[in-house]
Amino acid sequence: MGNVVVMRAEDARRRELESEGWVVIARSFGARLEAADVDQTVLQEQIGKISDPVQLTELDAGDANMILELDQATADDYPGSVATQHEQMTADEARPTDRRRAFGAVDKEGVLLAMTFVEVEVEGEVEGGVVDTDFTVVRAGFRRTGLGAAVKAYSILALLGEGALLFRTGGSADNAAIIGANARLGYVRDEEWVTLAEPDHPAA
């Protein structure tokens, strides 16, 4: 089947592997948003684009069933390769905690339409906490409506108010929707990654 490896795009090993026949089968990225650079007006504008029947809210352990349902419904919708794969959550993982927070968009029928999960690090490269996006997903049929950007904006504002100083995110370079959403929210790409496969790998 062949192996795959994920590395920074500028990694010195990349040229050597490519000279041996390894090929790039996927690209991904990382991006950052410093709290000092957050434009709260822009974030509020993203939230304001959501129609009234949809409510943005922080999700908690009592929402685990709806979280699992949306996670299962969108399990095959993540673009990219191993670097951006999303494993379906277990029942325990679907219960947000103080360190693993979740924010969502719920319609008037109580159906979860979009959600974003983030990891809040108390200690990290920036004193005061780093917020790292785990994933953001929107239910099929409601994409390209601004829901993804809105739930991310809502989460940033909520955690900004709690003193977070750095927000990180990432994803597949083929995911135009999330790239556009990140740009609107002010994230700046600062990492580029490649996934390389051996010549005999099916994706090569």
Side-chain angles (χ1 to χ4, degrees), residues 110-176:
V111 176
L112 185 60
L113 304 180
M115 62 182 173
T116 187
F117 268 72
V118 301
E119 301 282 348
V120 179
E121 303 174 15
V122 173
E123 297 181 358
E125 60 183 280
V126 175
E127 183 180 354
V130 178
V131 177
D132 196 346
T133 303
D134 185 2
F135 69 91
T136 303
V137 69
V138 179
R139 187 181 296 275
F142 295 89
R143 292 166 190 160
R144 301 185 183 279
T145 63
L147 281 176
V151 294
K152 291 193 77 166
Y154 187 84
S155 72
I156 292 169
L157 287 173
L159 296 166
L160 190 67
E162 296 179 14
L165 296 181
L166 173 66
F167 300 88
R168 290 207 56 84
T169 192
S172 168
D174 295 325
N175 192 339

Side-chain angles (χ1 to χ4, degrees), residues 54-127:
V54 177
Q55 178 183 3
L56 297 176
T57 183
E58 181 162 8
L59 304 172
D60 58 30
D63 300 311
N65 287 339
M66 69 164 64
I67 290 171
L68 275 177
E69 187 277 327
L70 180 56
D71 189 55
Q72 293 168 0
T74 56
D76 298 326
D77 296 344
Y78 294 83
S81 185
V82 294
T84 53
Q85 282 180 347
H86 171 73
E87 294 185 7
Q88 282 189 252
M89 288 187 284
T90 65
D92 284 341
E93 291 169 339
R95 297 185 180 91
T97 66
D98 290 343
R99 296 288 181 86
R100 191 165 186 266
R101 308 278 287 274
F103 302 83
V106 183
D107 71 8
K108 61 182 179 180
E109 305 298 331
V111 176
L112 185 60
L113 304 180
M115 62 182 173
T116 187
F117 268 72
V118 301
E119 301 282 348
V120 179
E121 303 174 15
V122 173
E123 297 181 358
E125 60 183 280
V126 175
E127 183 180 354

Side-chain angles (χ1 to χ4, degrees), residues 7 9 11-18 24 27 194 196:
M7 63 179 61
D11 194 306
R13 296 173 298 162
R14 177 182 174 184
R15 178 175 295 182
E16 179 181 349
L17 289 173
E18 289 182 321
V24 175
R27 298 176 184 273
V194 292
L196 293 109

Side-chain angles (χ1 to χ4, degrees), residues 34-57:
E34 302 279 356
D37 297 328
V38 172
D39 188 330
Q40 295 193 39
T41 300
V42 170
L43 269 58
Q44 291 288 4
E45 288 174 351
Q46 291 299 317
I47 292 172
K49 293 179 180 180
I50 303 305
S51 56
D52 289 339
V54 177
Q55 178 183 3
L56 297 176
T57 183

